[in-house]
């Protein structure tokens, strides 16, 4: 790189290159990057796999752009039908592309981190619409490890001739389980993975996958779509880690995953014996549901930190742990010991259902995001228009989305999840 000239300061500078001779270009690949992407495509079983140095956020933008670019334009506003637990980057992509979103809301939800869309829910949502959406967008696995019936959703999308877009940020590894559970294998038309979340890849490394049958012709525009939303200086350190991961996938990952799944299953079995529900469907994610228990002093999250364990997410009721073959045997023993010694008291109150009702929209997502805004206390936000999506953590069900009018139900949920400030459109 021109700045550091490869001179060590952090220690990685010698590998941090730019588009020099022989290094190829990410958004105009015709050499080693293209060859590496083709290798990844073979491993994932896709028509085209494109690398991302901007995580799934960049790929989500590109997915939405690709689907929108193929949509028929009839003079009315185009819209996408999406599960409400979409990542913030999806909402901002809708603002950038000036498209509307029709939401499918969770049913009988007990938290805002999950929104499993069933084929029946999708069928009902499509039947109620006056116009066909240009795409269906779902998140699977979600943040709590719950997985959607992608095969079932795909069948419905094919009946309506609508592309199915899947945010699979947390599930890149599912392609290499004993039973392939990757969205592309199950029928998604486009899918994004955050490789860094479940594979040994540097932060920011990800994939944009196009289905093997490519029935909408997305592959030809995939690189351009990524370029529109990506940095002109993608990290070659990240790209190198994606390339090295291809070698790991082709040689060792299936055996390593098999061993890791067995270790995780052992802990899940222990939790069941103790009486702690694991609500995750993923084999390598543990989501401990502590809603029926009183917390030890400092809370469950602090307890695990005191045990030397860093969790992925905790909200007072659920605590999420993400496991991988890169965890050592000592790591698994430590987690097992923590669960064995966890002091539990039974809570007498039942868990509250959190209904998230459709909100009234005052303006489009784009107009709200690009309007002048101000930050205010949530208790002063009643009847104001949300400027930025508000979630406890992405990807989760936004309590309010840009352009929606904040009501008393929103404020009650803000309070429950410790959200004290919100950006609203300036009046």
């Amino acid at each position: 790189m021109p700045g550091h000239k490869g001179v060590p300061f952090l220690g990685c500078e010698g590998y941090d290159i730019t588009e020099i001779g022989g290094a190829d270009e990410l958004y105009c690949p015709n050499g080693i990057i293209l060859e590496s992407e083709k290798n990844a495509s073979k491993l994932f079983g896709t028509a085209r796999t494109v690398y991302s140095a901007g995580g799934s956020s960049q790929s989500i933008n590109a997915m939405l752009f690709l689907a929108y670019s193929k949509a028929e334009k009839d003079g009315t506003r185009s819209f996408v039908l999406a599960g409400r637990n979409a990542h913030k980057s999806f909402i901002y992509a809708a603002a950038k592309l000036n498209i509307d979103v029709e939401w499918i809301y969770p049913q009988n939800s007990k938290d805002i981190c999950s929104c499993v869309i069933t084929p029946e829910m999708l069928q009902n949502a499509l039947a109620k619409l006056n116009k066909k959406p240009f795409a269906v967008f779902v998140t699977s696995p979600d943040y709590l490890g719950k997985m959607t019936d992608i095969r079932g959703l795909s069948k419905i999308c094919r009946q309506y001739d609508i592309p199915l877009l899947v945010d699979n940020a947390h599930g890149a590894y599912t392609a290499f389980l004993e039973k392939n559970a990757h969205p592309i294998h199950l029928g998604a038309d486009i899918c994004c993975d955050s490789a860094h979340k479940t594979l040994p890849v540097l932060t920011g490394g990800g994939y944009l996958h196009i289905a093997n049958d490519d029935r909408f012709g997305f592959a030809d525009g995939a690189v351009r779509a990524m370029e529109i939303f990506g940095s002109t200086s993608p990290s070659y350190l990240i790209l190198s880690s994606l390339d090295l991961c291809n070698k790991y996938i082709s040689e060792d990952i299936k055996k390593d995953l098999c061993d890791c799944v067995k270790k995780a299953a052992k802990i899940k079995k222990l939790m069941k014996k103790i009486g702690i529900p694991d609500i995750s469907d993923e084999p390598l994610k543990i989501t401990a549901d502590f809603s029926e228990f009183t917390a030890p002093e400092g809370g469950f999250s602090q307890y695990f930190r005191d045990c030397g364990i860093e969790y992925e997410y905790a909200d007072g009721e659920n605590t999420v742990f993400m496991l991988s073959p890169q965890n050592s045997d000592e790591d698994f023993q430590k987690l097992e010991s923590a669960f064995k010694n966890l002091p539990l008291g039974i809570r007498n109150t039942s868990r509250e259902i959190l209904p998230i009702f459709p909100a009234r929209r005052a303006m489009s997502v784009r107009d709200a995001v690009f309007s002048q805004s101000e930050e205010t206390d949530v208790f002063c936000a009643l009847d104001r228009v949300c400027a930025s999506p508000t979630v406890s953590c992405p990807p989760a069900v936004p309590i309010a989305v840009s352009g929606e009018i904040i009501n008393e139900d929103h404020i009650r949920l803000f309070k429950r999840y410790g959200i004290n400030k919100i950006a609203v459109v300036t009046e």
Side-chain angles (χ1 to χ4, degrees):
M1 288 298 292
H4 57 62
K5 300 294 191 295
V7 177
F9 180 73
L10 295 173
C12 61
E13 286 80 0
Y15 302 98
D16 184 35
I17 62 172
T18 185
E19 292 92 342
I20 57 176
D24 207 0
E25 296 183 32
L26 180 59
Y27 302 124
C28 187
N30 55 26
I32 57 173
I33 292 177
L34 180 60
E35 182 182 352
S36 184
E37 288 180 335
K38 286 181 176 179
N39 290 337
S41 179
K42 290 178 183 177
L43 293 168
F44 281 93
T46 66
R48 183 70 195 270
T49 290
V50 178
Y51 287 157
S52 168
S56 280
S57 295
Q58 180 182 358
S59 298
I60 287 171
N61 279 266
M63 285 199 299
L64 209 55
F65 171 83
L66 282 168
Y68 177 59
S69 67
K70 297 289 184 178
E72 293 182 7
K73 310 299 190 296
D74 59 4
T76 61
R77 288 182 62 80
S78 299
F79 68 94
V80 58
L81 181 62
R84 181 71 175 193
N85 62 329
H87 192 272
K88 280 184 178 181
S89 58
F90 169 85
I91 298 169
Y92 289 133
K96 285 178 250 184
L97 294 168
N98 194 21
I99 57 177
D100 293 328
V101 184
E102 292 292 334
W103 298 104
I104 304 178
Y105 286 79
Q107 296 180 346
N108 301 319
S109 179
K110 295 182 179 180
D111 52 68
I112 64 171
C113 287
S114 188
C115 180
V116 176
I117 307 300
T118 66
E120 182 181 14
M121 290 168 66
L122 176 59
Q123 183 73 65
N124 291 340
L126 287 168
K128 292 176 182 177
L129 296 172
N130 296 321
K131 178 184 173 182
K132 188 171 72 172
F134 70 81
V136 170
F137 181 96
V138 298
T139 302
S140 179
D142 65 24
Y143 207 49
L144 300 185
K146 295 181 180 179
M147 301 182 77
T148 295
D149 179 6
I150 299 298
R151 197 182 298 279
L153 299 184
S154 174
K155 288 180 181 178
I156 294 171
C157 285
R158 287 174 182 267
Q159 290 172 8
Y160 282 83
D161 196 30
I162 302 170
L164 175 61
L165 285 54
V166 180
D167 175 1
N168 184 55
H170 284 243
Y173 78 98
T174 59
F176 312 108
L177 293 169
E178 186 175 354
K179 186 176 180 180
N180 189 336
H182 194 273
I184 288 292
H185 177 73
L186 298 176
D189 293 291
I190 321 180
C191 169
C192 67
D193 299 345
S194 286
H196 62 257
K197 292 190 182 296
T198 59
L199 299 175
V201 168
L202 292 180
T203 302
Y207 310 100
L208 175 70
H209 301 295
I210 310 298
N212 210 26
D213 62 354
D214 193 18
R215 62 195 180 108
F216 293 98
F218 292 138
D220 289 342
V223 173
R224 175 172 174 261
M226 293 292 279
E227 181 179 18
I228 290 172
F229 299 101
S231 168
T232 56
S233 300
S235 167
Y236 274 73
L237 286 170
I238 295 173
L239 299 177
S240 295
S241 71
L242 287 165
D243 182 62
L244 288 170
C245 190
N246 285 342
K247 185 174 187 294
Y248 173 65
I249 290 172
S250 65
E251 295 178 354
D252 301 316
I253 195 169
K254 289 191 175 182
K255 178 183 178 301
D256 289 353
L257 279 175
C258 185
D259 292 343
C260 190
V261 167
K262 290 176 181 177
K263 294 173 186 175
K266 182 181 178 184
I267 295 177
K268 288 172 180 273
K269 185 177 180 180
L270 169 65
M271 291 171 61
K272 186 175 181 179
K273 182 179 179 181
I274 297 172
I276 303 172
D278 169 34
I279 62 174
S280 171
D281 299 324
E282 280 189 69
L284 292 189
K285 184 175 281 182
I286 290 174
T287 303
D289 180 358
F290 292 122
S291 60
E292 301 302 321
F293 301 96
T294 56
E297 185 177 355
F300 291 107
S301 56
Q302 188 57 50
Y303 168 80
F304 284 102
R305 279 183 169 160
D306 290 343
C307 292
I309 298 166
E310 188 61 36
Y311 51 85
E312 167 68 15
Y313 167 77
D315 63 9
E317 293 185 341
N318 298 307
T319 304
V320 179
F321 305 91
M322 291 179 66
L323 311 173
S324 86
Q326 278 58 55
N327 282 113
S328 65
D329 287 340
E330 182 183 358
D331 291 337
F332 283 97
Q333 291 166 7
K334 190 183 292 185
L335 186 57
E336 184 177 347
S337 176
F339 275 113
K340 280 182 178 178
N341 297 307
L342 182 59
L344 292 174
I346 302 298
R347 185 183 292 173
N348 293 323
T349 56
S350 60
R351 190 172 185 182
E352 179 187 5
I353 300 294
L354 291 175
I356 301 176
F357 299 107
R360 287 194 301 122
R361 280 181 292 201
M363 59 179 65
S364 69
V365 174
R366 179 184 178 85
D367 287 345
V369 167
F370 289 102
S371 293
Q372 291 190 22
S373 63
E374 60 186 4
E375 189 174 69
T376 185
D377 190 292
V378 295
F379 298 104
C380 301
L382 184 63
D383 295 329
R384 300 289 297 274
V385 177
C386 177
S388 300
T390 50
V391 294
S392 62
C393 67
V397 176
I399 295 172
V401 167
S402 307
E404 294 178 347
I405 299 173
I406 297 166
N407 57 40
E408 291 179 352
D409 290 329
H410 292 140
I411 292 173
R412 180 174 61 86
L413 288 174
F414 289 146
K415 181 178 179 181
R416 170 157 182 172
Y417 282 92
I419 299 172
N420 300 313
K421 297 289 184 179
I422 181 175
V424 295
V425 174
T426 303
E427 296 179 331

